[in-house]
């Protein structure tokens, strides 16, 4: 036995749950708080009325969105956003699975899909207005027309990349088509599918605002454009901050859902990193 005088090897202390939570909150809020301080300092020296200070915007936020505007503008926008995202997920996964599993159909549709994907969804708004009128259905269709593509294309690539050895093994054991689809193909494609859904959320939020700016009498996009046209600058900025808050909330909720759906995938990655 060898002694090492003057040196004591101590096992590193594990931080408690409270310390980890505090560190996570500090990391999440540190930069935003620093930016708010910088913004407040710059606003006190600025002379332009188009860049109000954070306190003025906070007061406008409370006066504008805490009340009837939340029911008349925010909730309808969130409902259209939710319907558009849900429809995009259903259509994208269903169509992407069929196309990914059918090589001849994939080759046949690939030029058409690339052409449609390249068309910017905002330019379709006048066409949708003619076909569907100025309705909530039109706004949901506009959201779907842009948000479906990340999900569809990622699903196709995820289905195509299913391990061929596992597929042949399942066939050799006479696993039914539905069982292969449910227990092999979709789980193998799920990381790509969830990546597509993450991209679709940001696209859907953008298209929700744009569709409401073009033709609407309510909604976040309409209200922000109204504030801009009437030079209600603090109220306009409060609407932009509300949209940012909605985006952050969507990211947090999606992160929780993704960890739940892909817990096996993240477990494998953690084992490989160990």
């Amino acid at each position: 036995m060898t002694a090492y005088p003057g040196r004591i090897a101590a096992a590193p202390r594990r931080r408690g749950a409270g310390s980890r939570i505090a560190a996570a909150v500090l990391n999440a809020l540190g930069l935003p708080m620093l930016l708010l301080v910088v913004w407040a300092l710059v606003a006190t020296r600025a002379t332009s009325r188009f860049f109000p200070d954070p306190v003025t915007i906070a007061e406008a936020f409370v006066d504008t969105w805490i009340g009837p505007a939340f029911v008349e503008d925010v909730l309808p926008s969130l409902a259209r956003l939710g319907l558009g995202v849900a429809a995009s997920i259903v259509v994208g996964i269903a169509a992407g699975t069929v196309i990914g599993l059918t090589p001849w159909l994939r080759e046949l549709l690939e030029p058409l899909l690339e052409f449609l994907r390249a068309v910017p969804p905002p330019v379709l708004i006048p066409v949708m207005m003619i076909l569907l009128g100025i309705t909530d259905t039109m706004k949901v269709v506009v959201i779907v027309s842009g948000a479906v593509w990340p999900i569809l294309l990622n699903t196709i690539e995820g289905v195509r990349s299913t391990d061929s050895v596992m597929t042949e093994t399942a066939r050799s054991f006479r696993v039914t088509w539905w069982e292969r689809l449910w227990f092999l193909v979709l789980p193998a494609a799920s990381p790509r599918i969830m990546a597509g859904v993450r991209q679709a959320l940001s696209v859907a939020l953008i298209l929700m605002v744009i569709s409401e700016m073009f033709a609407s009498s309510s909604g976040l996009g309409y209200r922000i454009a109204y504030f801009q046209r009437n030079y209600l600058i603090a109220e306009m900025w409060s609407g932009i901050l509300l949209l940012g808050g909605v985006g952050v909330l969507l990211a947090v909720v999606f992160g929780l859902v993704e960890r739940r759906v892909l817990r096996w995938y993240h477990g494998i990655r953690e084992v490989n990193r160990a």
Side-chain angles (χ1 to χ4, degrees):
M1 188 169 110
T2 306
Y4 296 91
R7 290 188 180 183
I8 299 177
R13 290 184 179 180
R14 295 187 62 183
R15 293 189 300 174
S19 300
R20 292 196 299 269
I21 294 175
V25 171
L26 182 62
N27 290 334
L29 298 181
L31 181 58
M33 294 301 296
L34 178 62
L35 293 177
L36 281 177
V37 172
V38 173
W39 184 359
L41 293 175
V42 172
T44 57
R45 298 175 177 272
T47 58
S48 174
R49 64 184 297 267
F50 297 107
F51 297 97
D53 60 89
V55 176
T56 303
I57 295 176
E59 293 174 351
F61 186 96
V62 174
D63 295 337
T64 303
W65 303 111
I66 307 300
F70 183 81
V71 177
E72 297 172 0
D73 295 310
V74 179
L75 290 183
S77 292
L78 295 180
R80 289 189 284 265
L81 177 64
L83 288 174
V85 171
S88 299
I89 292 174
V90 172
V91 173
I93 294 177
T97 302
V98 173
I99 297 172
L101 290 173
T102 313
W104 66 266
L105 182 61
R106 184 171 62 247
E107 295 177 1
L108 177 66
L109 294 179
E110 186 172 3
L112 179 62
L113 293 177
E114 291 297 328
F115 172 79
L116 294 176
R117 184 174 67 90
V119 177
V123 305
L124 299 176
I125 293 179
V127 179
M128 299 298 179
M129 291 172 57
I130 295 174
L131 296 177
L132 302 174
I134 304 176
T135 61
D136 288 344
T137 302
M138 181 272 295
K139 299 179 182 68
V140 172
V141 171
V142 170
I143 294 173
V144 174
S145 67
V148 72
W149 295 109
I151 304 173
L152 175 65
L153 298 177
N154 276 277
T155 302
I156 293 173
E157 292 302 317
V159 170
R160 287 180 59 187
S161 61
T162 304
D163 192 338
S164 59
V165 175
M166 297 183 67
T167 302
E168 293 301 326
T169 302
R171 287 175 179 170
S172 66
F173 280 97
R174 298 186 181 276
V175 178
T176 64
W177 187 87
W178 284 107
E179 289 175 338
R180 292 202 308 270
L181 175 65
W182 189 253
F183 295 107
L184 175 60
V185 175
L186 289 180
S190 57
R192 296 293 297 267
I193 293 174
M194 296 303 289
V197 174
R198 181 184 292 276
Q199 298 172 16
L201 288 176
S202 59
V203 174
L205 185 61
I206 294 171
L207 292 176
M208 179 201 76
V209 176
I210 293 176
S211 66
E212 293 173 350
M213 285 181 171
F214 267 80
S216 184
S217 58
S218 66
L220 281 170
Y222 163 78
R223 191 60 61 183
I224 292 173
Y226 172 84
F227 292 148
Q228 182 266 331
R229 289 193 298 266
N230 290 276
Y231 291 95
L232 300 172
I233 305 303
E235 288 77 4
M236 180 190 71
W237 279 105
S238 71
I240 295 173
L241 291 181
L242 180 58
L243 281 175
V246 171
V248 171
L249 180 61
L250 287 176
V252 171
V253 172
F254 177 80
L256 296 175
V257 173
E258 184 187 35
R259 293 293 300 183
R260 177 71 177 177
V261 173
L262 299 180
R263 59 186 182 276
W264 61 271
Y265 176 73
H266 294 293
I268 292 174
R269 293 184 61 183
E270 291 176 0
V271 169
N272 292 334
R273 285 198 298 263

